Amino acid sequence: MEYRFNLNNRIMKELKMTVDKDLKKTTKNTETKLLMGNRAVVQGLLEAKVGLTTAYPGTPSTEIQMQLYRLSKEGQLFFEFSVNEKVALEIAGAAAMSGVRSAVIMKHVGMNVASDPLMALAYFGVLGGMVIIIVDDPGCLSSQNEQDSRFWGKFAHLPILEPSTSQEVKDTIVKAYELSEKHNMIFFVRLTNYTALNTSEVEMTVVDEKLGKNGQFVKDVKYLIPARYIYHKELHGKLHAISQDPTFQAFNELKFSDSTSDKLVITQGAIYPMVEYARNYAGVDVPILKIGAIHPFSEKHIVKLLKKFKYVYFIEELETYVEDEISSIIGKYNLDIKVFGKNKLGIPQENRILPDLLLHPFKLIASDPDDPQTWDFKLPESSPYPQVFNRDGLLIPRTLPRLCDGCSHRGAFHSIKQAVKADYIVPSDIGCYALGQVSPVEVGDYWLCMGASIGTAIGQSLVNKKPVIAIIGDGTFFHAGIPPLIDAVLYDHNITVAILNNRLTAMTGGQPSPSSTEKIAKNQNEIDIEQLVRGIGVKWVKSVSVENVQENTKLLKEAIEYEGPAVMIFSGNCVVELLRHDFDLGQAPYVDQEVCIYCGICYIDFSCPSIIKKDGKIEIREETCTACNICVDVCPHDAIIPRKK
Amino acid sequence: MSENRKQNEKPVNIAIVGLGGQGVITLAKLIASTSFGLGKKVCFNEMHGLSQRGGSVQSFIRINEANNPIFAAEDVDLVIGMEKLETIRYLYLAKKAQPKVIMTNKYDIRSTHDLGLVVFPDEDEIDKEIARYSSEVYLFDALGYEENFKGKFKPLNVPVFAILTTFPELGLPEKESKDLVLDYLGRNMFIRQINKKAFEEGPKWLKKLEESS
């Protein structure tokens, strides 16, 4: 065992020498800038000289990926939008095994997909530093759930760091690479939508050299033998070693340590600035222990930090992770400390934390904890979250997002609506088209996770005596939709799949997808969905353009009647992507008022926001219309007339 | 953090609320960059889910504060509402603060309203409510501005930014702010001209609402 580590170090030294030779002269300019947390991640990766980065698009981590994508086009480092998070992690993992510093960037749910290779890769360890940057979405602002990624640390036996501000994000990433190489372990750096989307000032070093990715794979018996529990044991040892590392322990910081209070507030890195704000706003003189190293804990270090306190209060976002860990240490070491958990303080265990939620808890912290009256309170009924519907009799409706003016999905939805009627099941998927479920379009019964539309469609078709149409976008289809389609062909399941192909990962702001054309992603081969689907063995396949709404309706009816898997590929453009290249997309069509009979099909069923009702007439709003002309074919009375481009 | 930044000044807390596509985040960036350029500490956040598609968007900014951009509702100094419904949604949270309010008269009633799926409150109902939470309300006549503004592109955030330079407590000097808009949003001459005009037009369409109205 000893021998191997020495070998690793020797290889690392050699590698570093070769890598250093590749690099140009380093310029050491420092500057201070306003940086969003996500952009600070990129700055950290540059300063840590990370040569290989991979990702799958996912908000709220998208800004990291887009910036890396831009840098890779300029040739500064290697970056790719991998086909899914699992592939992204495998690519970066292999690079790190061969001694190259690598990073994988994903949103919280991406880790579910990537977890399979990770669990075993953790046993291998890495030679080059490797950091998984994972951005959580408390409050589900743009996600299907709000799972708490801090649990991955315990589950995969890997350390997790959690920075608070943009400056800390950048510094943490640089340190994470040093620690990762020192301990041959993969590191997690966890951000939340608070840290990732906050902009604050960062002092940084300008890095403008090209970052290389030359590695060297060294064969090792440890990658082969089946008795992997040996490396499980080794991993426990590494975790212990890392918990004792002073650099790692320094991420847990006692703030306001000059306070004489015998009370202590313990919180996590991700919400620390907000907790500090609430403390100062409420005017409570109490020190705060900021836990920036989420996993693993050094029991002795924590005991040392807690020694002089009699009362400990926990403030956390989402689950009671730090609370449970530290409470168990307090119990184990029989410390004479009274513990007040976040539930006792009335802090919800779901949704994001906002400062308003912390004002009452700090009042409780200021009160006498031994007086039972302190804890006899009822939480105020009003919620600080913006989803307020009803106040003093005035109803404030929720603002729901909608498909864009000129979105090509709307054409496909209209065909589906006409072909489907009421008695069908329509599983939808993750992407812009999930907005089709919002009234008044109302296409789609549920969405679960990437690719689940096809898998659940099979299940629905087996137990329901109703036709099932799965809706899935091109990016999602490539990500996780192909295996369930193979299953459908293999067992001849009777489902219809509508693939909405806009050749783009649109929901996250327009990243390339495998079916992207050259215009969007240069140096990339376009993968033809129709060929792929036929290759799997689907017999009923049709590629159509979304504008031919009526024609597509007929074809879709045929597909539904077909016994066995049928796939219909609707192609259209993402209008936001078009607008990125061209401000003026053409002249809006107009409504021939003499022909229009106000049937409402375009206004209500199709429901493009540019089709409006004005003085009892249907009109097209020229300022917002993007001249997609899909509505022309939607009108059964030919009352919408296109204008020449 | 650099030491030459001004310390110990009371933070100014601003909430910008609106809908996706109205330029909420860009407005926040403009305010932050100008303040930062003047040597102040500043930070801001963005809260959006499906912003590009007309969803609710908010940005909180704190001038004279370095790290935490989010503040408690009762600590808000200024609310900038790009749309009426979003303004009232966030003013409801300002229980004790009596913040200054700059509001546009844009009111985005959806087709869902016509279909009877969602009932939207009347505009004067909203105005009455806003008067309950603030006695200092300024109305930017965005509809009048847009009607008079020639051309297809009518930026909403740039005129509002110009209006902010007329409030001395924010410390945004007009000249520097204007230069920044043109540098920051002036990728080509066409856009530059539009933004220049929008910046000059903005303050002309602002009036203070009297308490009785």
Side-chain angles (χ1 to χ4, degrees), chain A residues 36 141 165 194 197-201 273 277 281 352 355-356 382 386 388 391-392 394-397 399-402 432 435 439 506-507 583 603-604 623, chain B residues 1 5 19 43-47 49-50 53 62 66 68-75 86 89-90 92 110 114-115 117-119 121 125 129 132-133 152:
Chain A
M36 177 197 254
L141 294 176
T165 62
Y194 174 79
L197 302 180
N198 281 1
T199 300
S200 53
E201 62 181 275
Y277 163 85
Y281 189 75
R352 60 202 308 239
D356 293 86
S382 67
V388 185
R391 27 173 303 295
D392 306 345
L394 183 68
L395 191 74
I396 302 182
T399 308
L400 288 173
R402 57 192 168 190
C432 290
L435 296 178
S439 178
M507 185 66 139
F583 289 123
Y603 179 64
I604 297 168
E623 306 98 83
Chain B
M1 301 293 129
R5 310 227 160 248
L19 297 172
C43 58
F44 70 94
N45 85 328
E46 31 195 278
M47 277 186 260
L50 304 158
R53 292 145 194 96
R62 300 184 78 205
N68 172 46
I70 310 187
F71 43 82
E74 37 192 77
D75 198 15
E86 295 305 308
R89 195 194 307 281
Y90 283 88
Y92 160 61
R110 313 301 181 86
D114 288 352
L115 300 175
L117 297 168
V118 182
V119 182
E125 257 185 306
E129 282 293 313
R132 279 180 56 195
Y133 292 103
K152 190 165 177 176

Coordinates of all heavy atoms in Angstrom, one line a residue, chain A residues 36 141 165 194 197-201 273 277 281 352 355-356 382 386 388 391-392 394-397 399-402 432 435 439 506-507 583 603-604 623, chain B residues 1 5 19 43-47 49-50 53 62 66 68-75 86 89-90 92 110 114-115 117-119 121 125 129 132-133 152:
Chain A
M36 N -20.4 36.7 -10.2 CA -21.5 35.8 -9.7 C -20.8 34.6 -9.2 O -19.8 34.2 -9.6 CB -22.4 35.5 -10.9 CG -23.5 34.6 -10.6 SD -24.0 33.9 -12.2 CE -25.6 34.8 -12.4
L141 N -36.7 26.2 -7.7 CA -37.0 27.3 -8.6 C -36.9 26.8 -10.1 O -37.6 27.3 -11.0 CB -36.0 28.4 -8.4 CG -36.1 29.1 -7.1 CD1 -35.0 30.2 -6.9 CD2 -37.5 29.8 -6.9
T165 N -19.5 32.9 -0.1 CA -19.6 34.0 -1.0 C -18.8 33.7 -2.2 O -18.1 32.8 -2.3 CB -18.9 35.2 -0.3 OG1 -17.6 34.9 0.0 CG2 -19.6 35.6 1.0
Y194 N -28.5 30.1 -3.8 CA -28.1 31.4 -3.1 C -26.6 31.7 -3.5 O -26.3 32.8 -4.0 CB -28.3 31.2 -1.6 CG -27.8 32.4 -0.8 CD1 -28.5 33.5 -0.7 CD2 -26.6 32.3 -0.1 CE1 -28.1 34.6 0.1 CE2 -26.1 33.3 0.7 CZ -26.9 34.5 0.8 OH -26.4 35.5 1.5
L197 N -25.9 32.2 -7.5 CA -26.5 33.3 -8.2 C -26.3 34.7 -7.5 O -26.8 35.7 -8.0 CB -28.0 33.1 -8.5 CG -28.4 31.8 -9.2 CD1 -29.9 31.7 -9.4 CD2 -27.7 31.8 -10.6
N198 N -25.6 34.7 -6.4 CA -25.2 36.0 -5.8 C -24.0 36.6 -6.5 O -23.1 35.8 -6.8 CB -24.9 35.8 -4.3 CG -26.2 35.6 -3.5 OD1 -27.3 35.7 -4.1 ND2 -26.0 35.5 -2.2
T199 N -24.0 37.9 -6.7 CA -22.9 38.5 -7.2 C -22.2 39.4 -6.1 O -22.9 40.2 -5.5 CB -23.3 39.4 -8.4 OG1 -23.9 38.6 -9.4 CG2 -22.1 40.1 -9.0
S200 N -20.9 39.2 -5.9 CA -20.2 40.0 -5.0 C -18.8 40.1 -5.4 O -18.4 39.5 -6.4 CB -20.3 39.5 -3.5 OG -19.9 38.1 -3.5
E201 N -18.0 40.9 -4.7 CA -16.6 41.2 -5.3 C -15.7 40.1 -4.9 O -15.8 39.4 -3.9 CB -16.1 42.5 -4.8 CG -15.9 42.7 -3.3 CD -15.4 44.1 -3.0 OE1 -14.2 44.3 -3.0 OE2 -16.2 45.0 -2.6
P273 N -23.9 34.0 5.1 CA -24.1 35.5 5.1 C -25.5 35.9 5.5 O -25.6 37.0 6.1 CB -23.8 35.8 3.6 CG -23.0 34.7 3.1 CD -23.5 33.5 3.8
Y277 N -26.4 38.3 8.7 CA -27.3 39.4 8.5 C -28.4 39.4 9.5 O -28.7 40.4 10.2 CB -27.9 39.4 7.1 CG -29.1 40.3 6.9 CD1 -28.9 41.7 6.6 CD2 -30.4 39.8 7.0 CE1 -30.0 42.5 6.5 CE2 -31.5 40.7 6.9 CZ -31.3 42.0 6.7 OH -32.4 42.8 6.5
Y281 N -29.2 42.1 12.3 CA -30.5 42.8 12.2 C -31.3 42.7 13.5 O -31.9 43.6 14.0 CB -31.3 42.3 11.0 CG -32.5 43.1 10.7 CD1 -32.4 44.3 10.1 CD2 -33.8 42.6 11.0 CE1 -33.5 45.1 9.8 CE2 -34.9 43.4 10.8 CZ -34.7 44.6 10.1 OH -35.8 45.4 9.9
R352 N -36.4 27.2 0.3 CA -35.2 27.9 0.6 C -35.4 28.8 1.8 O -36.4 29.1 2.2 CB -34.8 28.8 -0.6 CG -35.9 29.8 -1.0 CD -35.7 30.2 -2.5 NE -34.3 30.6 -2.7 CZ -34.0 31.8 -3.1 NH1 -34.9 32.7 -3.4 NH2 -32.8 32.1 -3.3
P355 N -34.1 35.6 4.8 CA -33.8 36.3 6.1 C -35.1 36.4 7.0 O -35.0 36.3 8.2 CB -33.3 37.6 5.7 CG -32.7 37.4 4.3 CD -33.6 36.4 3.7
D356 N -36.2 36.6 6.4 CA -37.5 36.8 7.2 C -37.7 35.6 8.1 O -38.3 35.7 9.1 CB -38.7 37.0 6.3 CG -38.6 38.3 5.5 OD1 -37.9 38.4 4.5 OD2 -39.1 39.3 6.1
S382 N -48.4 34.4 8.0 CA -48.0 34.8 6.7 C -46.6 34.2 6.3 O -45.8 33.9 7.2 CB -47.9 36.3 6.7 OG -46.8 36.7 7.5
P386 N -42.6 34.3 -1.9 CA -43.4 35.1 -2.8 C -44.7 34.5 -3.3 O -45.5 35.1 -3.8 CB -42.4 35.4 -3.9 CG -41.4 34.4 -3.9 CD -41.3 34.0 -2.4
V388 N -47.5 34.1 -2.6 CA -48.6 34.6 -1.7 C -49.9 34.7 -2.6 O -49.8 35.5 -3.6 CB -48.3 35.9 -1.0 CG1 -49.4 36.2 -0.1 CG2 -47.0 35.8 -0.3
R391 N -54.3 37.9 0.2 CA -53.9 38.8 1.3 C -55.1 39.8 1.4 O -55.4 40.5 0.5 CB -52.6 39.5 1.0 CG -52.3 39.6 -0.5 CD -51.1 40.4 -0.7 NE -51.2 41.7 -0.2 CZ -52.1 42.6 -0.5 NH1 -53.0 42.3 -1.5 NH2 -52.2 43.8 0.0
D392 N -55.6 39.9 2.6 CA -56.6 40.9 3.0 C -57.7 40.9 1.9 O -58.2 42.0 1.5 CB -56.0 42.3 3.1 CG -54.9 42.3 4.1 OD1 -54.7 41.3 4.8 OD2 -54.1 43.3 4.1
L394 N -57.7 40.6 -1.2 CA -57.3 40.8 -2.6 C -56.4 39.6 -3.0 O -55.5 39.2 -2.4 CB -56.4 42.1 -2.6 CG -56.0 42.5 -4.0 CD1 -57.1 42.9 -4.9 CD2 -54.9 43.6 -4.0
L395 N -56.9 39.0 -4.1 CA -56.3 37.8 -4.6 C -55.1 38.2 -5.6 O -55.3 38.9 -6.5 CB -57.3 37.0 -5.4 CG -56.9 35.6 -5.7 CD1 -56.9 34.7 -4.5 CD2 -57.8 35.0 -6.7
I396 N -53.9 37.7 -5.3 CA -52.8 37.9 -6.2 C -52.5 36.6 -6.9 O -51.9 35.7 -6.3 CB -51.5 38.4 -5.4 CG1 -51.9 39.7 -4.7 CG2 -50.4 38.6 -6.4 CD1 -50.7 40.3 -3.9
P397 N -52.9 36.5 -8.1 CA -52.6 35.2 -8.8 C -51.1 35.0 -8.9 O -50.3 35.9 -9.0 CB -53.3 35.3 -10.1 CG -53.7 36.8 -10.3 CD -53.5 37.5 -9.0
T399 N -47.8 34.1 -10.8 CA -47.3 34.3 -12.1 C -46.7 33.1 -12.7 O -45.6 32.6 -12.2 CB -46.3 35.5 -12.1 OG1 -46.8 36.6 -11.5 CG2 -45.9 35.9 -13.5
L400 N -47.3 32.5 -13.6 CA -46.8 31.2 -14.2 C -46.0 31.5 -15.5 O -46.4 32.4 -16.3 CB -47.9 30.3 -14.5 CG -48.6 29.7 -13.2 CD1 -49.8 28.9 -13.6 CD2 -47.6 28.8 -12.5
P401 N -45.0 30.8 -15.7 CA -44.3 30.9 -17.0 C -45.1 30.3 -18.1 O -46.0 29.6 -17.8 CB -43.0 30.2 -16.7 CG -43.3 29.2 -15.7 CD -44.3 29.8 -14.8
R402 N -44.7 30.7 -19.3 CA -45.5 30.1 -20.4 C -44.5 29.9 -21.6 O -43.4 30.4 -21.5 CB -46.5 31.1 -20.9 CG -45.9 32.5 -21.2 CD -47.0 33.5 -21.3 NE -46.3 34.8 -21.4 CZ -46.9 36.0 -21.3 NH1 -48.2 36.0 -21.2 NH2 -46.2 37.1 -21.3
C432 N -38.3 22.6 -21.9 CA -39.3 23.6 -22.1 C -40.7 23.1 -22.2 O -41.7 23.7 -21.8 CB -39.0 24.4 -23.3 SG -37.5 25.4 -23.2
L435 N -43.6 23.1 -19.9 CA -44.5 24.2 -19.7 C -45.9 24.0 -20.5 O -46.8 24.7 -20.3 CB -43.9 25.5 -20.2 CG -42.6 26.0 -19.5 CD1 -42.1 27.2 -20.2 CD2 -43.0 26.2 -18.1
S439 N -51.8 25.8 -17.9 CA -53.1 26.2 -18.6 C -52.7 27.5 -19.4 O -51.9 28.3 -19.0 CB -54.1 26.6 -17.5 OG -55.2 27.1 -18.1
A506 N -32.7 23.8 -24.7 CA -33.3 25.2 -24.7 C -33.6 25.7 -23.4 O -33.4 26.8 -23.0 CB -34.5 25.2 -25.6
M507 N -34.1 24.8 -22.5 CA -34.6 25.2 -21.2 C -33.6 25.9 -20.4 O -33.9 26.8 -19.6 CB -35.2 24.0 -20.5 CG -35.8 24.3 -19.2 SD -37.3 25.2 -19.4 CE -38.4 24.5 -18.2
F583 N -32.3 39.9 -34.9 CA -33.3 40.7 -34.2 C -34.7 40.6 -34.8 O -35.7 40.6 -34.2 CB -32.9 42.2 -34.0 CG -31.7 42.4 -33.2 CD1 -30.6 43.0 -33.6 CD2 -31.8 41.9 -31.8 CE1 -29.5 43.2 -32.8 CE2 -30.7 42.1 -31.0 CZ -29.6 42.7 -31.5
Y603 N -56.8 31.5 -30.2 CA -56.6 32.3 -29.0 C -56.6 31.4 -27.7 O -55.8 31.6 -26.9 CB -57.8 33.3 -28.9 CG -57.8 34.2 -27.7 CD1 -56.7 35.1 -27.5 CD2 -58.8 34.1 -26.8 CE1 -56.7 35.9 -26.4 CE2 -58.8 35.0 -25.7 CZ -57.8 35.8 -25.5 OH -57.8 36.6 -24.4
I604 N -57.5 30.4 -27.7 CA -57.6 29.6 -26.5 C -56.8 28.3 -26.6 O -55.9 28.1 -25.8 CB -59.1 29.3 -26.2 CG1 -59.9 30.6 -25.9 CG2 -59.2 28.4 -24.9 CD1 -61.3 30.5 -25.9
E623 N -45.7 43.7 -32.2 CA -44.4 43.9 -31.5 C -43.8 42.6 -30.9 O -42.6 42.5 -30.8 CB -44.6 44.9 -30.3 CG -45.3 46.2 -30.5 CD -46.8 46.1 -30.2 OE1 -47.1 46.3 -29.1 OE2 -47.6 45.9 -31.2
Chain B
M1 N -10.9 41.6 0.6 CA -11.6 42.8 0.1 C -10.7 44.0 0.2 O -10.0 44.2 1.1 CB -12.9 43.1 1.0 CG -13.9 42.0 1.1 SD -14.7 41.6 -0.5 CE -14.4 39.9 -0.6
R5 N -12.5 50.6 -0.2 CA -13.9 50.7 -0.3 C -14.5 51.4 1.0 O -14.0 51.1 2.1 CB -14.5 49.4 -0.5 CG -13.9 48.6 -1.6 CD -14.9 48.0 -2.6 NE -14.2 47.8 -3.8 CZ -14.4 48.4 -4.9 NH1 -15.4 49.3 -5.0 NH2 -13.8 48.1 -6.0
L19 N -41.2 40.7 -14.4 CA -41.4 39.5 -15.2 C -40.2 39.2 -16.0 O -39.4 40.1 -16.4 CB -42.6 39.6 -16.0 CG -43.9 39.8 -15.3 CD1 -45.0 40.2 -16.3 CD2 -44.3 38.6 -14.5
C43 N -23.5 44.2 -3.5 CA -23.7 42.9 -4.0 C -25.2 42.7 -4.4 O -26.0 43.5 -4.0 CB -23.4 41.9 -2.9 SG -24.3 42.1 -1.4
F44 N -25.5 41.8 -5.2 CA -26.9 41.6 -5.6 C -27.1 40.1 -5.9 O -26.1 39.3 -6.1 CB -27.2 42.5 -6.8 CG -26.6 42.1 -8.1 CD1 -27.3 41.3 -9.0 CD2 -25.3 42.6 -8.5 CE1 -26.7 40.9 -10.3 CE2 -24.8 42.3 -9.7 CZ -25.4 41.4 -10.6
N45 N -28.3 39.7 -6.0 CA -28.6 38.3 -6.3 C -29.7 38.3 -7.4 O -30.2 39.3 -7.8 CB -29.2 37.6 -5.1 CG -30.6 37.8 -4.9 OD1 -31.2 38.8 -5.2 ND2 -31.3 36.8 -4.4
E46 N -29.9 37.2 -7.9 CA -31.0 37.0 -8.9 C -31.8 35.8 -8.5 O -31.3 34.8 -8.1 CB -30.5 36.9 -10.3 CG -29.2 36.2 -10.5 CD -28.6 36.4 -11.9 OE1 -29.0 35.7 -12.8 OE2 -27.8 37.3 -12.0
M47 N -33.1 36.0 -8.5 CA -34.0 34.8 -8.2 C -34.9 34.6 -9.3 O -35.8 35.5 -9.7 CB -34.8 35.2 -6.9 CG -34.1 34.9 -5.7 SD -35.2 35.1 -4.3 CE -34.7 36.7 -3.8
G49 N -36.8 31.4 -11.8 CA -36.9 30.0 -12.2 C -37.0 29.9 -13.7 O -36.0 29.7 -14.4
L50 N -38.1 30.2 -14.3 CA -38.3 30.1 -15.7 C -38.5 31.6 -16.2 O -39.4 31.9 -16.9 CB -39.6 29.3 -16.0 CG -39.5 27.9 -15.3 CD1 -40.9 27.4 -15.2 CD2 -38.7 27.0 -16.2
R53 N -39.4 32.9 -19.8 CA -40.7 32.6 -20.3 C -41.8 33.4 -19.5 O -42.8 32.8 -19.3 CB -40.9 31.1 -20.3 CG -40.0 30.5 -21.3 CD -39.5 29.1 -20.9 NE -38.4 28.7 -21.8 CZ -37.1 28.9 -21.4 NH1 -36.8 29.5 -20.3 NH2 -36.2 28.5 -22.3
R62 N -27.9 45.3 -2.5 CA -27.5 46.1 -1.3 C -26.2 46.9 -1.6 O -25.2 46.3 -1.9 CB -27.3 45.2 -0.1 CG -28.6 44.4 0.2 CD -28.4 43.5 1.5 NE -28.5 44.4 2.7 CZ -27.9 44.0 3.8 NH1 -27.2 43.0 3.9 NH2 -28.1 44.8 4.9
A66 N -21.1 44.0 1.4 CA -20.2 43.2 0.5 C -20.7 41.8 0.2 O -20.6 41.3 -1.0 CB -18.8 43.1 1.1
N68 N -23.9 39.7 1.6 CA -25.2 39.1 1.6 C -26.2 40.1 1.0 O -26.6 41.1 1.5 CB -25.7 38.9 3.1 CG -27.1 38.5 3.1 OD1 -27.6 37.7 2.3 ND2 -27.9 39.1 4.0
P69 N -26.7 39.7 -0.2 CA -27.6 40.6 -0.9 C -29.0 40.5 -0.5 O -29.8 41.4 -0.8 CB -27.5 40.2 -2.4 CG -27.0 38.8 -2.3 CD -26.3 38.6 -1.1
I70 N -29.4 39.5 0.2 CA -30.8 39.3 0.6 C -31.1 39.9 1.9 O -30.3 39.7 2.9 CB -31.2 37.8 0.6 CG1 -30.7 37.2 -0.8 CG2 -32.7 37.7 0.7 CD1 -31.2 35.8 -1.0
F71 N -32.2 40.6 2.0 CA -32.5 41.3 3.3 C -33.9 40.9 3.7 O -34.7 40.4 2.9 CB -32.3 42.8 3.2 CG -32.9 43.4 1.9 CD1 -34.2 43.6 1.7 CD2 -32.0 43.6 0.8 CE1 -34.7 44.1 0.6 CE2 -32.5 44.1 -0.4 CZ -33.9 44.3 -0.5
A72 N -34.3 41.2 4.9 CA -35.6 41.0 5.4 C -36.6 42.0 4.8 O -36.2 43.1 4.5 CB -35.6 41.1 6.9
A73 N -37.8 41.6 4.7 CA -38.8 42.4 4.0 C -39.0 43.7 4.7 O -39.1 44.8 4.1 CB -40.2 41.7 4.0
E74 N -38.9 43.7 6.0 CA -39.1 45.0 6.7 C -37.9 45.9 6.7 O -37.8 46.9 7.4 CB -39.6 44.7 8.2 CG -39.0 43.5 8.8 CD -39.7 43.2 10.1 OE1 -40.8 42.6 10.1 OE2 -39.1 43.5 11.2
D75 N -36.9 45.5 6.0 CA -35.6 46.2 5.9 C -35.4 46.9 4.5 O -34.4 47.3 4.2 CB -34.4 45.3 6.2 CG -33.2 46.0 6.6 OD1 -33.3 47.3 6.9 OD2 -32.1 45.4 6.6
E86 N -46.5 42.2 -9.7 CA -45.3 41.8 -9.0 C -45.0 42.8 -7.9 O -44.5 42.4 -6.9 CB -44.1 41.7 -10.0 CG -44.3 40.6 -11.1 CD -44.6 39.2 -10.5 OE1 -43.8 38.8 -9.6 OE2 -45.5 38.6 -10.9
R89 N -47.2 42.1 -5.0 CA -46.8 40.9 -4.4 C -45.7 41.0 -3.4 O -45.7 40.4 -2.3 CB -46.4 39.9 -5.5 CG -46.4 38.4 -5.0 CD -45.6 37.5 -6.0 NE -46.1 37.7 -7.4 CZ -47.2 37.1 -7.9 NH1 -47.9 36.3 -7.1 NH2 -47.6 37.2 -9.1
Y90 N -44.7 41.9 -3.7 CA -43.6 42.0 -2.9 C -43.8 43.1 -1.8 O -43.2 43.0 -0.7 CB -42.3 42.3 -3.7 CG -41.9 40.9 -4.2 CD1 -42.4 40.5 -5.4 CD2 -41.1 40.1 -3.5 CE1 -42.1 39.2 -5.9 CE2 -40.8 38.8 -3.9 CZ -41.2 38.4 -5.1 OH -40.9 37.2 -5.6
Y92 N -46.4 43.5 -0.2 CA -47.1 42.9 0.9 C -46.2 42.5 2.0 O -46.5 42.5 3.2 CB -47.9 41.7 0.3 CG -48.3 40.7 1.4 CD1 -49.2 41.0 2.4 CD2 -47.9 39.4 1.3 CE1 -49.6 40.1 3.3 CE2 -48.2 38.5 2.2 CZ -49.1 38.8 3.3 OH -49.4 37.9 4.2
R110 N -53.0 38.0 -18.4 CA -52.8 36.9 -19.3 C -54.1 36.5 -20.0 O -55.2 36.8 -19.5 CB -52.2 35.7 -18.6 CG -51.0 36.0 -17.7 CD -49.9 36.7 -18.5 NE -48.8 37.0 -17.7 CZ -47.8 36.1 -17.5 NH1 -47.8 34.9 -17.9 NH2 -46.8 36.5 -16.7
D114 N -58.8 36.1 -19.4 CA -60.0 36.2 -20.3 C -60.8 34.9 -20.2 O -62.0 34.8 -20.4 CB -59.6 36.4 -21.7 CG -59.1 37.9 -21.9 OD1 -59.3 38.6 -20.9 OD2 -58.6 38.2 -23.0
L115 N -60.0 33.8 -20.0 CA -60.7 32.5 -20.1 C -61.4 32.2 -18.7 O -62.0 31.1 -18.5 CB -59.7 31.4 -20.4 CG -59.0 31.5 -21.7 CD1 -57.9 30.5 -21.8 CD2 -59.9 31.4 -22.8
L117 N -59.9 31.5 -16.0 CA -59.1 30.5 -15.2 C -58.5 31.1 -14.0 O -58.4 30.5 -13.0 CB -58.0 29.9 -16.1 CG -58.5 29.1 -17.3 CD1 -57.4 28.8 -18.3 CD2 -59.2 27.8 -16.9
V118 N -58.0 32.4 -14.2 CA -57.4 33.1 -13.1 C -58.0 34.5 -13.0 O -58.1 35.1 -14.0 CB -55.8 33.2 -13.3 CG1 -55.2 33.9 -12.1 CG2 -55.2 31.8 -13.5
V119 N -58.3 34.9 -11.8 CA -58.9 36.3 -11.7 C -57.8 37.2 -11.3 O -57.2 37.0 -10.3 CB -60.1 36.3 -10.7 CG1 -60.7 37.7 -10.6 CG2 -61.1 35.2 -11.1
P121 N -56.7 41.1 -10.1 CA -57.4 42.3 -9.4 C -57.4 43.5 -10.4 O -56.5 43.6 -11.3 CB -56.5 42.5 -8.2 CG -55.2 41.8 -8.4 CD -55.5 40.7 -9.4
E125 N -57.6 48.8 -7.6 CA -57.5 48.0 -6.4 C -56.0 47.9 -6.0 O -55.7 48.0 -4.8 CB -58.0 46.6 -6.6 CG -59.4 46.3 -6.1 CD -59.8 44.9 -6.3 OE1 -59.8 44.4 -7.4 OE2 -60.1 44.2 -5.3
E129 N -54.0 49.4 -2.6 CA -53.2 48.5 -1.8 C -51.8 49.1 -1.6 O -51.2 49.1 -0.5 CB -53.1 47.1 -2.3 CG -54.3 46.3 -2.1 CD -54.5 46.0 -0.6 OE1 -53.6 45.6 0.1 OE2 -55.7 46.1 -0.2
R132 N -51.3 51.7 0.8 CA -51.4 51.3 2.2 C -50.0 50.9 2.7 O -49.7 51.0 3.9 CB -52.2 50.0 2.4 CG -53.7 50.3 2.5 CD -54.4 49.0 2.6 NE -54.0 48.2 3.8 CZ -54.3 47.0 4.0 NH1 -55.1 46.3 3.1 NH2 -53.9 46.3 5.1
Y133 N -49.1 50.5 1.8 CA -47.8 50.1 2.3 C -46.7 51.2 2.1 O -45.6 51.0 2.6 CB -47.4 48.8 1.5 CG -48.2 47.6 1.9 CD1 -49.2 47.2 1.1 CD2 -48.0 47.0 3.1 CE1 -50.0 46.1 1.4 CE2 -48.8 46.0 3.5 CZ -49.8 45.5 2.7 OH -50.6 44.5 3.0
K152 N -39.1 49.2 -32.9 CA -39.6 47.9 -32.4 C -39.1 47.6 -31.0 O -39.8 47.0 -30.2 CB -39.3 46.8 -33.3 CG -40.0 45.5 -33.0 CD -39.9 44.5 -34.1 CE -40.6 43.2 -33.7 NZ -40.7 42.2 -34.7

